[in-house]
Amino acid sequence: MMYTSTRASSASATAQPGVDAPFFSAILLAGLAPDGGLYLPQTYPQVSDAELTAWRSLSYADLAYEILRKFATDMPAADLKAITSKTYTAAVYRNGRDGEAAADITPLRVLERIGAGAGATSLLLQALSNGPTLAFKDMAMQLLGNLFEYTLAKDGAHLNIFGATSGDTGSAAEYAMRGKRGIRVFMLSPHGKMSAFQTAQMFSLQDENIYNIAVDGVFDDCQDMVKAVSNDLPFKVTQKIGTVNSINWARVVAQVVYYFRGYLAATSSNSEQVSFTVPSGNFGNICAGHIARMMGLPIDKLVAATNENDVLDEFFRSGVYRVRKSAETYHTSSPSMDISKASNFERFIYDLVGRDSARVRALFHKVESAGGFDLSGKPGSDGDEWKRVAEFGFLSGRSSHRDRLATIRDVEDDYGITIDPHTADGVFVARQFMAPGVPMIVLETALAAKFNETILEALGQDAGRPAGFEDIEALPQKFTLMTTDVAQMKAYIAAHTGL
Ligand SMILES: *Cc1c(COP(=O)(O)O)cnc(C)c1O
């Protein structure tokens, strides 16, 4: 299994292995491909009916192994198996609601079932937030931490992860990398702008390899600093700087697993289909669903649910992809979906335009130069591939603050479950696309405790917290306050990497 870039020139697609067509291990620590594109397998591995049947009885860890080994063919099987067993254990995924089986890792809950038997209309919720930071990003990041540690130990190498966070990504990365040999994490966050819970989660980590840097500015300032440091190639090389952002291929592929798991848990025969609704921002989570479908998983519809930042909903409804300027990006009550462009979208567009990398290159250069592209097929547009969106099963919808609050209240009243604001966007949109005979699974993206301010507004009471998180704000906090001075930041990193 070799990989290619979504922007590969035809020459590089046939170049020697290891250079332009690398294996899994070679792209594990990589971000963008050198040509600016994103990595994808040269072809999607297929899952047979017999395999899918055999997978029905596997544990989550063993299922993850079976799926990952199709993508990581250059890793020794026993090593991969040891890593997936260590990653997906009940001890790590124990923060669910009372009575939820931690060993299931991603348990399904029935919210609604109308009718009976094969023709029932049902709405299910797949719990993905029972990991250490109470958001679905743990599902992939925990695997990444173990894969990184394994790869670095093999070469006796070091990696210094440098990133910016508005909350969820940074904490998932820190909890995945804490105490790992060969790895340090330098994480920037806007000082005083994260929720009290998120701040406490990150800053209470006392591990020596975790460096929390609170920047006197907003999230965009933090991101600009990461860009400035990353653009200094000599610094990046000598200081062994890497990232763990959402375009990382291993993160995407780790997420493919829970689509299989959700499908297998919701069905009893491979002739059945399910649909998924996915709260979306950077198109990472739902991109994994697209890949599961391309591998042969019987998914009927993949529904992208956005908030007021509806870049993706606009595309799926009209064929026009129009990125927003940062001033046009709303700060909403589902803040982890407040994005101006969807960084993983290029992977889907590559498949939509028939894996024509020259077209992808032209379209995404147009995103840089003109702020977007138009595949509606209308006169003057850049193509008509939008008409193929239905073949890929995609649908979409958007939610607003009012919809979000009303949905949190409804779900609490009707089913006694408190959902977080992002998951509420998913439930709100999913309800518009339910169909008899095809279970609709909403992916839960965080626990409500992480976003208590909005829960309080919706319900007039606090969200419950899993055991062990009751007094997290009272723990001692460790962080360094810095200004937006890039030179000072570099000096700080260099002083702490010891390189
Ligand atoms: C990251 C995140 C999302 C968006 O996921 P994408 O993969 O970027 O589409 C949604 N909800 C929560 C809580 C998140 O942390």
Side-chain angles (χ1 to χ4, degrees), residues 135-137 168 279-285 336-337 420 422 445-446 451:
F136 83 97
K137 291 189 171 72
D168 290 340
S280 294
N282 273 317
F283 205 76
N285 198 352
S336 303
M337 289 155 44
D420 102 290
H422 308 78
T445 57
F451 300 96

Side-chain angles (χ1 to χ4, degrees), residues 303-469:
V303 185
T306 74
N307 63 18
E308 292 88 334
N309 296 293
D310 56 357
V311 182
L312 291 168
D313 183 45
E314 181 171 84
F315 175 79
F316 286 114
R317 285 175 188 274
S318 69
V320 176
Y321 181 60
R322 182 173 61 87
V323 304
R324 314 294 199 248
K325 299 186 182 72
S326 32
E328 290 176 310
T329 306
Y330 301 104
H331 291 284
T332 75
S333 47
S334 46
S336 303
M337 289 155 44
D338 291 348
I339 54 99
S340 51
K341 64 176 166 190
S343 54
N344 271 292
F345 196 48
E346 186 167 333
R347 289 192 159 109
F348 170 66
I349 292 296
Y350 181 66
D351 287 335
L352 186 71
V353 301
R355 303 204 130 212
D356 178 345
S357 51
R359 291 253 6 247
V360 173
R361 218 178 315 133
L363 290 172
F364 283 86
H365 283 156
K366 198 159 175 206
V367 171
E368 295 308 317
S369 63
F373 53 75
D374 177 351
L375 297 180
S376 67
K378 291 191 181 136
S381 65
D382 304 295
D384 64 355
E385 286 90 346
W386 177 59
K387 66 174 191 273
R388 296 190 63 210
V389 158
E391 284 170 42
F392 289 90
F394 274 93
L395 290 168
S396 72
R398 98 195 261 283
S399 174
S400 68
H401 183 67
R402 264 190 38 213
D403 302 328
R404 196 170 297 133
L405 294 186
T407 305
I408 292 170
R409 275 194 291 269
D410 274 7
V411 171
E412 178 77 32
D413 290 349
D414 295 350
Y415 320 116
I417 293 173
T418 314
I419 54 172
D420 102 290
H422 308 78
T423 308
D425 290 339
V427 171
F428 176 76
V429 172
R431 282 178 159 162
Q432 300 160 31
F433 297 108
M434 288 165 63
V438 184
M440 173 63 84
I441 302 175
V442 177
L443 298 188
E444 171 202 75
T445 57
L447 290 194
K450 275 198 112 160
F451 300 96
N452 191 51
E453 294 81 352
T454 303
I455 302 304
L456 200 56
E457 185 180 347
L459 302 179
Q461 65 187 45
D462 289 326
R465 288 187 180 188
F469 288 86

